[in-house]
Structures are given as C-alpha cells and as structure tokens.
Amino acid sequence: MLRNSLRRDLWSLKRQASKDRWITLALLAGVPAAWLRQLSPGDAMPVSGLLFALSGALLAGSATAWLMSAYFLARSARRRREPVETLRLVSRASLAKEWAFTALGCYGSWHVLQFVTALFLG
C-alpha cells in the first residue's frame, strides 16, 4: 500500500517536472526574443549614465538568470530509474523554472525603469 502511494507520488512529481520543463523552454525562448526586440538598433537607450548603468545591470542579471535556467534545464533532461535521482531531476526542473522567471522579472524591471524614466523626464 505504501509502495503504491510512493509510486503515485513519484509519477506525479515527474509529471510536474515535465510541465516545469515546458514552461521553462517557453520562457527561455521568449526572454531573449523580447530583449532583442526591445534593444533593436533603432531604439534610444537612456542618455543618463546612471540609467544606462541600471539598464546594463538589468540586462546582465537577466542574461545570468537565463544561463542558470538553461544549465538547470539541461541537467534535468536525463531520465533516471532510481527514485532519488528522479527527485534530483524534479528539483532541477523546478530550479530551472525559477531562474527563467527571474530572467523574465529582470526584463519586466527594465520596462518599469523605462516607464518611470519617461514619466519623469518626458
């Protein structure tokens, strides 16, 4: 009885990890595309040195979080038979999703910075 319950729980965790991987893949594809669209050569970057530094820091933070997410996603892609190894992979998929949302958060923060700058300077 207990063994069947543990199998169901492990199966449920594997399903959740699979969903997390798909969400992470979508974010990993979307965040760089959004940054490239926003930072196209025709767009004006902030003139102030402080705003330029903040924008660069947010871009660097987003890139770092994106790389961490890609790293954990790659580490979670393997299938294992041992339950403990499976739990590690589930944990890595969850970490990958968290880092992908951090990258998206940096992009969102950059947008807020641009909006506030336009409000006060415009």
Side-chain angles (χ1 to χ4, degrees):
M1 183 115 167
L2 180 63
R3 190 173 192 122
N4 288 336
S5 174
L6 290 175
R7 279 189 186 145
R8 271 183 298 190
D9 291 345
L10 187 60
W11 184 73
S12 174
L13 287 172
K14 285 180 184 179
R15 245 188 20 221
Q16 182 61 42
S18 177
K19 289 178 187 176
D20 287 350
R21 280 193 285 277
W22 281 107
I23 291 168
T24 304
L25 279 173
L27 288 172
L28 287 180
V31 169
W35 275 110
L36 288 174
R37 182 179 171 274
Q38 284 303 125
L39 297 176
S40 62
D43 292 342
M45 285 298 290
V47 179
S48 168
L50 176 63
L51 290 176
F52 187 74
L54 284 173
S55 293
L58 287 171
L59 179 62
S62 182
T64 302
W66 189 92
L67 288 173
M68 289 298 295
S69 178
Y71 170 75
F72 283 118
L73 186 65
R75 297 282 309 229
S76 73
R78 294 183 241 148
R79 298 235 183 251
R80 299 290 181 172
R81 297 228 183 256
E82 294 293 321
V84 173
E85 291 175 347
T86 302
L87 289 176
R88 283 189 200 127
L89 295 179
V90 167
S91 158
R92 288 179 184 142
S94 177
L95 281 172
K97 185 173 84 170
E98 289 175 20
W99 279 106
F101 275 109
T102 302
L104 183 64
C106 287
Y107 175 72
S109 298
W110 181 79
H111 263 291
V112 169
L113 176 69
Q114 298 303 313
F115 177 71
V116 170
T117 302
L119 271 176
F120 288 121
L121 296 180

